[in-house]
Structure formats: C-alpha cells, structure tokens
Amino acid sequence: MSYQQCCEFCGAPSRPVAALVKVVANVYKALGEAQDALEAQGQLIKDLRAAARPSPSEGVRAARAALDLLTARERQILVLISQGNSNRSVARALGISEKTVKNHLSALFTKAGVSDRTQAVVLGIRSGIVSLDEPFGDAPPPAAPRAGLPADSGSR
C-alpha cells in the first residue's frame, strides 16, 4: 500500500504536516477566544459584585462627614454618652471637669449639626463611631473624683 493509497483509503489529507499546522492554528485561535471570554466574565463578575455592595445612604455619608470634624476627645465623649453616662460621670471617667465635658458636647453638637445628645448618639450610630454591639453601660469605670468635685448625683 502506498502513501497516496492510504490517504485515499482512510480520508487523511495527503499533506499531514500542513493540515496539522492548520489545526494547531485553529486550536490556538480558539484558546485565545476562550481566554478573552474568561477575562470578560471575570470582569463582569467583579462589576456585579461592586454594584451589589450597598453604598452608604446620603444620611450616612452626611453623618460621617460631620463626625470626621470631631476631635478624639469629642469622639470619646460621644461614646461615653451613648452608653448612658451623665456629664458628671463622663467627667470623672476622663479626669476632666463637668464644665469641660459640657464645652466638648457643645462643640460636638455644633460640628455634627445636632441640638441634643440623643441626636448626637443617633448620628454616632449611623456613622459607625458608636456601636450597638456593646452592652448598655459598658463605659470604663469612673475615675475617683478629683479634689473639689462632688460625687455623681445622676444629673445629665
């Protein structure tokens, strides 16, 4: 049986190397297209995940912007009042006067654009400064009263 006869018999091309080159080129092209499709699919999944993440509401963004202006001490006081502490117990816990706590609260209210401690705490919760995961009353234990300061009578 000659080569030509074999090719006619089995249907294989008479020039196997040229045919193999053509098949390899087609496979390479198909692999490239598959790679492009996988990359497009990956980008689509990434875009869908980004779109699915909830973006902060306008109120949350405003709360964060307002509270970004707070000093570290004002933030500390916000957390303590959110735990139900009076001005007097905040003052004792931080080793400062009650008047200083009131001054910090006044500055906090102005910066946050609120008029009372309840609104400030709500804003703190919305912005993430104040956590609801901690049990109520989890403030650090009040420091011993400084000389000349009366004991806490529960005033707010």
Side-chain angles (χ1 to χ4, degrees), residues 66-78 104 107-108 111 129:
L67 296 180
D68 281 345
L69 302 173
L70 300 182
T71 65
R73 180 64 88 177
E74 291 163 350
R75 287 172 181 261
Q76 194 175 28
I77 289 172
L78 177 58
H104 283 303
L108 186 157
K111 290 177 184 178
I129 290 176

PDB file of all heavy atoms in Angstrom, residues 66-78 104 107-108 111 129:
ATOM      1  N   ALA A  66     -19.852  64.871  58.957  1.00  0.00           N
ATOM      2  CA  ALA A  66     -19.979  65.735  60.131  1.00  0.00           C
ATOM      3  C   ALA A  66     -19.088  65.244  61.261  1.00  0.00           C
ATOM      4  O   ALA A  66     -18.407  66.041  61.919  1.00  0.00           O
ATOM      5  CB  ALA A  66     -21.435  65.788  60.593  1.00  0.00           C
ATOM      6  N   LEU A  67     -19.072  63.953  61.485  1.00  0.00           N
ATOM      7  CA  LEU A  67     -18.312  63.411  62.613  1.00  0.00           C
ATOM      8  C   LEU A  67     -16.820  63.302  62.323  1.00  0.00           C
ATOM      9  O   LEU A  67     -16.031  63.126  63.246  1.00  0.00           O
ATOM     10  CB  LEU A  67     -18.909  62.080  63.058  1.00  0.00           C
ATOM     11  CG  LEU A  67     -20.338  62.207  63.608  1.00  0.00           C
ATOM     12  CD1 LEU A  67     -20.877  60.858  64.045  1.00  0.00           C
ATOM     13  CD2 LEU A  67     -20.407  63.188  64.757  1.00  0.00           C
ATOM     14  N   ASP A  68     -16.432  63.437  61.064  1.00  0.00           N
ATOM     15  CA  ASP A  68     -14.999  63.481  60.737  1.00  0.00           C
ATOM     16  C   ASP A  68     -14.359  64.738  61.324  1.00  0.00           C
ATOM     17  O   ASP A  68     -13.142  64.795  61.487  1.00  0.00           O
ATOM     18  CB  ASP A  68     -14.778  63.452  59.223  1.00  0.00           C
ATOM     19  CG  ASP A  68     -14.898  62.053  58.649  1.00  0.00           C
ATOM     20  OD1 ASP A  68     -14.862  61.083  59.426  1.00  0.00           O
ATOM     21  OD2 ASP A  68     -15.029  61.940  57.411  1.00  0.00           O
ATOM     22  N   LEU A  69     -15.169  65.742  61.622  1.00  0.00           N
ATOM     23  CA  LEU A  69     -14.663  67.002  62.173  1.00  0.00           C
ATOM     24  C   LEU A  69     -14.378  66.913  63.671  1.00  0.00           C
ATOM     25  O   LEU A  69     -13.734  67.798  64.232  1.00  0.00           O
ATOM     26  CB  LEU A  69     -15.682  68.123  61.922  1.00  0.00           C
ATOM     27  CG  LEU A  69     -16.059  68.391  60.465  1.00  0.00           C
ATOM     28  CD1 LEU A  69     -17.198  69.399  60.395  1.00  0.00           C
ATOM     29  CD2 LEU A  69     -14.855  68.878  59.686  1.00  0.00           C
ATOM     30  N   LEU A  70     -14.864  65.866  64.323  1.00  0.00           N
ATOM     31  CA  LEU A  70     -14.710  65.742  65.777  1.00  0.00           C
ATOM     32  C   LEU A  70     -13.273  65.448  66.172  1.00  0.00           C
ATOM     33  O   LEU A  70     -12.558  64.718  65.490  1.00  0.00           O
ATOM     34  CB  LEU A  70     -15.610  64.639  66.323  1.00  0.00           C
ATOM     35  CG  LEU A  70     -17.115  64.778  66.116  1.00  0.00           C
ATOM     36  CD1 LEU A  70     -17.840  63.615  66.776  1.00  0.00           C
ATOM     37  CD2 LEU A  70     -17.624  66.105  66.624  1.00  0.00           C
ATOM     38  N   THR A  71     -12.887  65.985  67.321  1.00  0.00           N
ATOM     39  CA  THR A  71     -11.582  65.643  67.886  1.00  0.00           C
ATOM     40  C   THR A  71     -11.677  64.264  68.543  1.00  0.00           C
ATOM     41  O   THR A  71     -12.779  63.736  68.756  1.00  0.00           O
ATOM     42  CB  THR A  71     -11.170  66.672  68.963  1.00  0.00           C
ATOM     43  OG1 THR A  71     -12.095  66.582  70.057  1.00  0.00           O
ATOM     44  CG2 THR A  71     -11.139  68.082  68.403  1.00  0.00           C
ATOM     45  N   ALA A  72     -10.539  63.721  68.881  1.00  0.00           N
ATOM     46  CA  ALA A  72     -10.519  62.409  69.546  1.00  0.00           C
ATOM     47  C   ALA A  72     -11.282  62.473  70.872  1.00  0.00           C
ATOM     48  O   ALA A  72     -12.026  61.550  71.220  1.00  0.00           O
ATOM     49  CB  ALA A  72      -9.080  61.963  69.782  1.00  0.00           C
ATOM     50  N   ARG A  73     -11.139  63.563  71.612  1.00  0.00           N
ATOM     51  CA  ARG A  73     -11.824  63.709  72.898  1.00  0.00           C
ATOM     52  C   ARG A  73     -13.336  63.799  72.695  1.00  0.00           C
ATOM     53  O   ARG A  73     -14.111  63.205  73.440  1.00  0.00           O
ATOM     54  CB  ARG A  73     -11.314  64.954  73.634  1.00  0.00           C
ATOM     55  CG  ARG A  73     -11.976  65.184  74.968  1.00  0.00           C
ATOM     56  CD  ARG A  73     -11.693  64.071  75.958  1.00  0.00           C
ATOM     57  NE  ARG A  73     -10.482  64.370  76.673  1.00  0.00           N
ATOM     58  CZ  ARG A  73      -9.993  63.623  77.638  1.00  0.00           C
ATOM     59  NH1 ARG A  73     -10.614  62.534  78.020  1.00  0.00           N
ATOM     60  NH2 ARG A  73      -8.877  63.950  78.227  1.00  0.00           N
ATOM     61  N   GLU A  74     -13.769  64.537  71.666  1.00  0.00           N
ATOM     62  CA  GLU A  74     -15.198  64.639  71.385  1.00  0.00           C
ATOM     63  C   GLU A  74     -15.782  63.282  71.007  1.00  0.00           C
ATOM     64  O   GLU A  74     -16.886  62.933  71.425  1.00  0.00           O
ATOM     65  CB  GLU A  74     -15.447  65.681  70.285  1.00  0.00           C
ATOM     66  CG  GLU A  74     -15.171  67.107  70.736  1.00  0.00           C
ATOM     67  CD  GLU A  74     -14.999  68.101  69.608  1.00  0.00           C
ATOM     68  OE1 GLU A  74     -14.898  67.686  68.429  1.00  0.00           O
ATOM     69  OE2 GLU A  74     -14.949  69.306  69.900  1.00  0.00           O
ATOM     70  N   ARG A  75     -15.030  62.500  70.262  1.00  0.00           N
ATOM     71  CA  ARG A  75     -15.476  61.142  69.913  1.00  0.00           C
ATOM     72  C   ARG A  75     -15.579  60.288  71.180  1.00  0.00           C
ATOM     73  O   ARG A  75     -16.521  59.512  71.347  1.00  0.00           O
ATOM     74  CB  ARG A  75     -14.512  60.492  68.932  1.00  0.00           C
ATOM     75  CG  ARG A  75     -14.589  61.049  67.537  1.00  0.00           C
ATOM     76  CD  ARG A  75     -13.447  60.473  66.682  1.00  0.00           C
ATOM     77  NE  ARG A  75     -13.485  61.015  65.361  1.00  0.00           N
ATOM     78  CZ  ARG A  75     -14.011  60.394  64.305  1.00  0.00           C
ATOM     79  NH1 ARG A  75     -14.491  59.184  64.440  1.00  0.00           N
ATOM     80  NH2 ARG A  75     -14.031  60.966  63.127  1.00  0.00           N
ATOM     81  N   GLN A  76     -14.597  60.421  72.033  1.00  0.00           N
ATOM     82  CA  GLN A  76     -14.583  59.660  73.281  1.00  0.00           C
ATOM     83  C   GLN A  76     -15.817  60.012  74.123  1.00  0.00           C
ATOM     84  O   GLN A  76     -16.489  59.127  74.667  1.00  0.00           O
ATOM     85  CB  GLN A  76     -13.297  60.010  74.034  1.00  0.00           C
ATOM     86  CG  GLN A  76     -12.926  59.128  75.164  1.00  0.00           C
ATOM     87  CD  GLN A  76     -11.565  59.529  75.743  1.00  0.00           C
ATOM     88  OE1 GLN A  76     -11.160  60.681  75.683  1.00  0.00           O
ATOM     89  NE2 GLN A  76     -10.869  58.548  76.290  1.00  0.00           N
ATOM     90  N   ILE A  77     -16.126  61.280  74.204  1.00  0.00           N
ATOM     91  CA  ILE A  77     -17.297  61.721  74.964  1.00  0.00           C
ATOM     92  C   ILE A  77     -18.572  61.208  74.312  1.00  0.00           C
ATOM     93  O   ILE A  77     -19.503  60.770  74.998  1.00  0.00           O
ATOM     94  CB  ILE A  77     -17.291  63.261  75.133  1.00  0.00           C
ATOM     95  CG1 ILE A  77     -16.165  63.640  76.107  1.00  0.00           C
ATOM     96  CG2 ILE A  77     -18.641  63.777  75.606  1.00  0.00           C
ATOM     97  CD1 ILE A  77     -15.909  65.123  76.239  1.00  0.00           C
ATOM     98  N   LEU A  78     -18.630  61.229  72.982  1.00  0.00           N
ATOM     99  CA  LEU A  78     -19.808  60.709  72.273  1.00  0.00           C
ATOM    100  C   LEU A  78     -20.044  59.242  72.631  1.00  0.00           C
ATOM    101  O   LEU A  78     -21.173  58.827  72.900  1.00  0.00           O
ATOM    102  CB  LEU A  78     -19.642  60.873  70.761  1.00  0.00           C
ATOM    103  CG  LEU A  78     -20.760  60.322  69.883  1.00  0.00           C
ATOM    104  CD1 LEU A  78     -22.099  60.954  70.230  1.00  0.00           C
ATOM    105  CD2 LEU A  78     -20.421  60.530  68.424  1.00  0.00           C
ATOM    106  N   HIS A 104     -17.084  70.401  75.453  1.00  0.00           N
ATOM    107  CA  HIS A 104     -16.861  69.417  74.383  1.00  0.00           C
ATOM    108  C   HIS A 104     -18.177  69.038  73.719  1.00  0.00           C
ATOM    109  O   HIS A 104     -18.255  68.907  72.494  1.00  0.00           O
ATOM    110  CB  HIS A 104     -16.171  68.159  74.926  1.00  0.00           C
ATOM    111  CG  HIS A 104     -14.712  68.313  75.174  1.00  0.00           C
ATOM    112  ND1 HIS A 104     -13.804  68.698  74.208  1.00  0.00           N
ATOM    113  CD2 HIS A 104     -13.977  68.116  76.299  1.00  0.00           C
ATOM    114  CE1 HIS A 104     -12.592  68.732  74.710  1.00  0.00           C
ATOM    115  NE2 HIS A 104     -12.658  68.377  76.001  1.00  0.00           N
ATOM    116  N   ALA A 107     -19.314  71.799  71.392  1.00  0.00           N
ATOM    117  CA  ALA A 107     -18.540  71.772  70.137  1.00  0.00           C
ATOM    118  C   ALA A 107     -18.995  70.603  69.263  1.00  0.00           C
ATOM    119  O   ALA A 107     -19.152  70.741  68.039  1.00  0.00           O
ATOM    120  CB  ALA A 107     -17.048  71.661  70.450  1.00  0.00           C
ATOM    121  N   LEU A 108     -19.228  69.452  69.890  1.00  0.00           N
ATOM    122  CA  LEU A 108     -19.695  68.263  69.165  1.00  0.00           C
ATOM    123  C   LEU A 108     -21.041  68.553  68.499  1.00  0.00           C
ATOM    124  O   LEU A 108     -21.232  68.250  67.323  1.00  0.00           O
ATOM    125  CB  LEU A 108     -19.805  67.108  70.162  1.00  0.00           C
ATOM    126  CG  LEU A 108     -20.140  65.719  69.674  1.00  0.00           C
ATOM    127  CD1 LEU A 108     -19.642  64.701  70.689  1.00  0.00           C
ATOM    128  CD2 LEU A 108     -21.587  65.490  69.403  1.00  0.00           C
ATOM    129  N   LYS A 111     -20.519  70.927  65.482  1.00  0.00           N
ATOM    130  CA  LYS A 111     -19.869  70.260  64.347  1.00  0.00           C
ATOM    131  C   LYS A 111     -20.790  69.252  63.681  1.00  0.00           C
ATOM    132  O   LYS A 111     -20.789  69.105  62.461  1.00  0.00           O
ATOM    133  CB  LYS A 111     -18.583  69.558  64.805  1.00  0.00           C
ATOM    134  CG  LYS A 111     -17.473  70.503  65.184  1.00  0.00           C
ATOM    135  CD  LYS A 111     -16.270  69.727  65.705  1.00  0.00           C
ATOM    136  CE  LYS A 111     -15.176  70.648  66.196  1.00  0.00           C
ATOM    137  NZ  LYS A 111     -14.033  69.880  66.741  1.00  0.00           N
ATOM    138  N   ILE A 129     -19.267  55.325  64.659  1.00  0.00           N
ATOM    139  CA  ILE A 129     -18.439  55.667  65.819  1.00  0.00           C
ATOM    140  C   ILE A 129     -18.971  54.967  67.059  1.00  0.00           C
ATOM    141  O   ILE A 129     -18.224  54.493  67.897  1.00  0.00           O
ATOM    142  CB  ILE A 129     -18.405  57.200  66.048  1.00  0.00           C
ATOM    143  CG1 ILE A 129     -17.611  57.868  64.922  1.00  0.00           C
ATOM    144  CG2 ILE A 129     -17.796  57.550  67.398  1.00  0.00           C
ATOM    145  CD1 ILE A 129     -17.606  59.379  64.997  1.00  0.00           C
TER     146      ILE A 129
END
